[in-house]
Amino acid sequence: MSIEEKQQEIIDDFAIYDDWMEKYEYIIELGKDLPLIDPSRKTDDRLIEGCQSRVWLDAAIDENKLRLTADSDAIITKGIIGLLIRVYDNESPEDIVKSNLHFISEIGLQEHLSPTRANGLASMVKKIKLMALSALAK
């Protein structure tokens, strides 16, 4: 499934919910399914700067695909990073770097986050793209 198809799947998933309380509950549920980072990898150099809560993100290359794991100490944030991992995990670094991430605005997530959470979301996306760029440079 391509990055574009994964984004469309998320847009379709969110379309079934009528209000933002239901959507927040869904985001929290997604956080419970997050591929968790190995506890030994929860180091300061894997913390995403610019997030109000603590978010750790780790990446590894497996057969030219970026494999992502993460964790957060906040349940909503865990769900948000889970959405990003759902889109970007197991994709080539080149596809990640070139991708246009539009599902966030299409589901209305950005406008329903506090300014600090929205800033954290932007930092998460930036960090994933930087990890993909770094993998390309190797």
Side-chain angles (χ1 to χ4, degrees):
M1 189 179 293
S2 72
I3 289 174
E4 191 57 42
E5 290 168 328
K6 290 178 191 177
Q7 290 190 83
Q8 190 56 53
E9 189 177 77
I10 291 169
I11 292 164
D12 294 345
D13 288 352
F14 273 81
I16 64 172
Y17 299 105
D18 294 326
D19 66 49
W20 264 95
M21 285 314 294
E22 291 174 332
K23 291 178 185 185
Y24 282 130
E25 287 173 23
Y26 179 60
I27 290 170
I28 291 167
E29 284 304 310
L30 290 173
K32 294 176 182 173
D33 297 332
L34 179 67
L36 288 181
I37 190 171
D38 184 287
S40 69
R41 315 271 302 161
K42 280 181 153 181
T43 54
D44 287 348
D45 61 322
R46 290 181 180 85
L47 275 172
I48 297 177
E49 291 182 35
C51 289
Q52 180 181 4
S53 50
R54 293 166 53 90
V55 183
W56 296 268
L57 180 66
D58 192 35
I61 292 287
D62 182 26
E63 296 181 19
N64 200 34
K65 303 284 187 184
L66 203 62
R67 300 309 317 252
L68 299 164
T69 57
D71 198 3
S72 175
D73 58 6
I75 55 172
I76 291 275
T77 307
K78 205 171 187 170
I80 292 169
I81 191 72
L83 281 170
L84 296 176
I85 287 178
R86 184 169 156 191
V87 171
Y88 284 137
D89 185 46
N90 210 22
E91 295 292 340
S92 74
E94 185 178 8
D95 287 344
I96 292 170
V97 170
K98 291 190 311 187
S99 69
N100 172 20
L101 203 63
H102 60 85
F103 83 90
I104 294 167
S105 60
E106 289 198 33
I107 65 174
L109 182 59
Q110 193 91 25
E111 66 220 37
H112 285 89
L113 294 176
S114 66
T116 51
R117 280 228 171 89
N119 194 30
L121 172 59
S123 296
M124 291 178 216
V125 173
K126 182 178 175 184
K127 181 73 170 180
I128 292 170
K129 292 219 175 200
L130 286 172
M131 288 174 149
L133 269 174
S134 174
L136 279 175
K138 290 182 181 174

